[in-house]
């Protein structure tokens, strides 16, 4: 199997490393807007660098992995679909609903595969939470508390391109909330604060956000996010039911300290970022993609799933701007695909 990797930045490099050592992947073709970066990575891995995207499709590949800037995702997805190629793409498909729906339509019309990169679905902790909810261990689920806090903010130049805190960061929480619980979000109420560095206000973004989500069975969920969490990178999900309560992301590297005299000590080596925290999950999702391409398993996260997470993010952004509850029915694209 030959796979084309378009984009060799941080996450593209990680994916190329995973695929290069995969037993079922014979070779890679790498390309990047920075040609020297692609050439350097190709040399290090013993793979081939291509001058540009044109060569990826002209030289012939069996599948494509897209890890470029978000602005290029939809067009590349469409091109791969028209070429009959299965695609793995980092989230999101696009930063707006029309672009997202257009790319999904191209994939569905072509009858090809689009697997989206929501890596938390492959994390051991979230998978354990899903099993606990689905098995009935918690009883009736009544409360979910999810959070994502970055230790350091992204570069100022990235903020205007990111789509904002809800679309860029908390979209992972929205996706995994649906996946773990098996429920849809019915309505949201969101707020945000830009009281931190001026670069967030300049970009029209917020550095801290919170949302109250009501699921379609009445379960209440809170989702919070922060761009400046000096203690470390913190990603958790607490799920409380009538019979039991569990937490994802609580270990000896969780960047939180107890004020209780008998509480656990602060982490000696707190998580610093998502690439470190979710390393095994990133590898697992690419292994799954290879299996999907080989016809050995169903697509674990298709474009329709990504669309639903984006709709929740859009609803939160609308709620924040207009300071009102937003029903998901107000956001286009409401037909979800089955949970897998």
């Amino acid at each position: 199997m030959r796979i084309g990797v378009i984009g060799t930045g941080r996450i593209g490099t990680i994916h190329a490393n995973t695929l290069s050592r995969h037993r079922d992947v014979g070779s890679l073709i790498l390309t990047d807007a920075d040609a020297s970066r692609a050439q350097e990575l190709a040399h290090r891995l013993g793979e081939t660098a291509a001058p540009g995207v044109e060569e990826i499709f002209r030289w012939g590949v069996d599948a494509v992995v897209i890890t470029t800037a978000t602005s290029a995702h939809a067009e590349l997805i469409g091109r791969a679909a028209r070429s009959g190629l299965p695609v793995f793409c980092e989230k999101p498909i696009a930063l707006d609903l029309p672009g997202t729906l257009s790319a999904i339509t191209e994939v569905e019309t072509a009858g090809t595969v689009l697997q989206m990169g929501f890596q938390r679905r492959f994390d051991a902790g979230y998978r354990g939470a899903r099993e606990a909810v689905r098995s009935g261990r918690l009883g009736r689920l009544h409360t979910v508390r999810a959070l994502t806090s970055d230790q350091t903010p992204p570069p100022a130049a990235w903020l205007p391109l990111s789509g904002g805190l809800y679309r860029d960061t908390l979209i992972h929480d929205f996706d995994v909330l649906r996946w773990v619980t098996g429920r849809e979000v019915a309505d949201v109420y969101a707020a945000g604060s830009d009281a931190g560095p001026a670069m967030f206000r300049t970009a029209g973004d917020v550095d801290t956000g919170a949302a109250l989500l009501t699921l379609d069975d009445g379960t209440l969920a809170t989702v919070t996010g922060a761009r400046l969490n000096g203690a470390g990178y913190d990603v958790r999900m607490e799920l409380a039911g009538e019979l039991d309560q569990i937490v994802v992301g609580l270990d000896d590297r969780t960047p939180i300290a107890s004020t209780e005299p008998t509480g656990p000590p602060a982490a000696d080596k707190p998580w610093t970022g998502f690439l470190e925290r979710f390393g095994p999950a990133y590898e697992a999702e690419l292994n799954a993609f290879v299996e999907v391409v080989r016809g050995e398993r169903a697509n674990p996260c298709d474009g329709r799933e990504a669309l639903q997470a984006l709709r929740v993010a859009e609803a939160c952004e609308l709620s924040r701007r207009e300071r009102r509850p937003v029903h998901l029915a107000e956001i286009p694209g409401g037909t979800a695909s089955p949970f897998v």
Side-chain angles (χ1 to χ4, degrees):
M1 182 187 303
R2 174 189 261 188
I3 296 180
V5 179
I6 306 176
T8 56
R10 287 189 305 171
I11 194 64
T13 296
I14 287 175
H15 289 340
N17 272 278
T18 296
L19 293 168
S20 184
R21 62 177 183 266
H22 197 290
R23 66 179 183 276
D24 293 322
V25 177
S27 62
L28 302 179
I29 303 177
L30 313 177
T31 193
D32 191 273
D34 181 347
S36 63
R37 184 164 67 180
Q39 289 169 355
E40 180 182 346
L41 180 60
H43 178 74
R44 190 161 71 243
L45 297 178
E47 304 290 356
T48 302
V53 173
E54 293 293 330
E55 286 76 14
I56 292 285
F57 292 96
R58 193 167 67 242
W59 292 356
V61 293
D62 300 300
V64 174
V65 171
I66 300 171
T67 60
T68 62
T70 298
S71 58
H73 287 185
E75 190 275 330
L76 289 171
I77 289 170
R79 181 163 187 179
R82 294 190 296 274
S83 299
L85 294 173
V87 176
F88 176 94
C89 185
E90 279 300 321
K91 66 84 190 169
I93 295 174
L95 290 177
D96 62 347
L97 288 167
T100 299
L101 288 164
S102 176
I104 290 172
T105 298
E106 289 226 58
V107 170
E108 292 177 347
T109 299
T112 54
V113 169
L114 169 60
Q115 180 182 327
M116 294 303 300
F118 283 104
Q119 86 283 353
R120 295 188 194 182
R121 294 182 177 217
F122 296 87
D123 176 73
Y126 284 105
R127 295 182 75 87
R130 187 177 193 264
E131 174 58 28
V133 171
R134 304 304 181 86
S135 69
R137 169 184 160 187
L138 306 185
R140 183 185 69 86
L141 184 67
H142 54 73
T143 307
V144 182
R145 294 176 286 269
L147 65 89
T148 296
S149 296
D150 293 323
Q151 184 176 32
T152 55
W158 165 248
L159 291 176
L161 309 175
S162 71
L165 181 66
Y166 296 105
R167 299 186 191 93
D168 178 46
T169 299
L170 295 183
I171 195 168
H172 281 288
D173 296 273
F174 302 146
D175 174 72
V176 84
L177 173 66
R178 297 179 59 251
W179 185 75
V180 166
T181 65
R183 311 304 309 190
E184 296 294 345
V185 176
D187 56 63
V188 309
Y189 190 89
S193 170
D194 62 2
M199 65 181 184
F200 292 98
R201 293 186 290 280
T202 300
D205 197 4
V206 295
D207 58 78
T208 308
L212 172 64
L213 292 71
T214 303
L215 307 188
D216 58 9
D217 64 348
T219 300
L220 295 180
T222 58
V223 178
T224 62
R227 293 290 201 182
L228 298 100
N229 192 60
Y233 179 71
D234 193 6
V235 172
R236 279 176 282 141
M237 173 183 273
E238 300 173 8
L239 300 105
E242 293 181 343
L243 299 180
D244 202 356
Q245 181 172 238
I246 58 174
V247 59
V248 178
L250 182 62
D251 59 20
D252 60 1
R253 299 191 66 183
T254 304
I256 192 167
S258 173
T259 61
E260 299 296 333
T262 58
D268 290 332
K269 188 181 179 183
W271 298 109
T272 59
F274 60 91
L275 295 178
E276 181 186 33
R277 165 66 177 84
F278 290 110
Y282 281 117
E283 183 167 348
E285 69 178 357
L286 262 294
N287 291 338
F289 178 60
V290 172
E291 292 175 356
V292 170
V293 175
R294 288 171 57 86
E296 296 171 353
R297 66 174 294 173
N299 188 348
C301 187
D302 65 16
R304 292 282 170 184
E305 292 286 277
L307 171 63
Q308 300 314 314
L310 178 61
R311 290 180 66 242
V312 178
E314 290 284 339
C316 286
E317 186 58 39
L318 179 61
S319 175
R320 180 186 73 84
R321 289 199 313 269
E322 298 188 358
R323 295 179 176 271
R324 68 174 179 89
V326 173
H327 298 290
L328 262 291
E330 300 179 47
I331 309 299
T335 302
S337 61
F339 291 97
V340 294

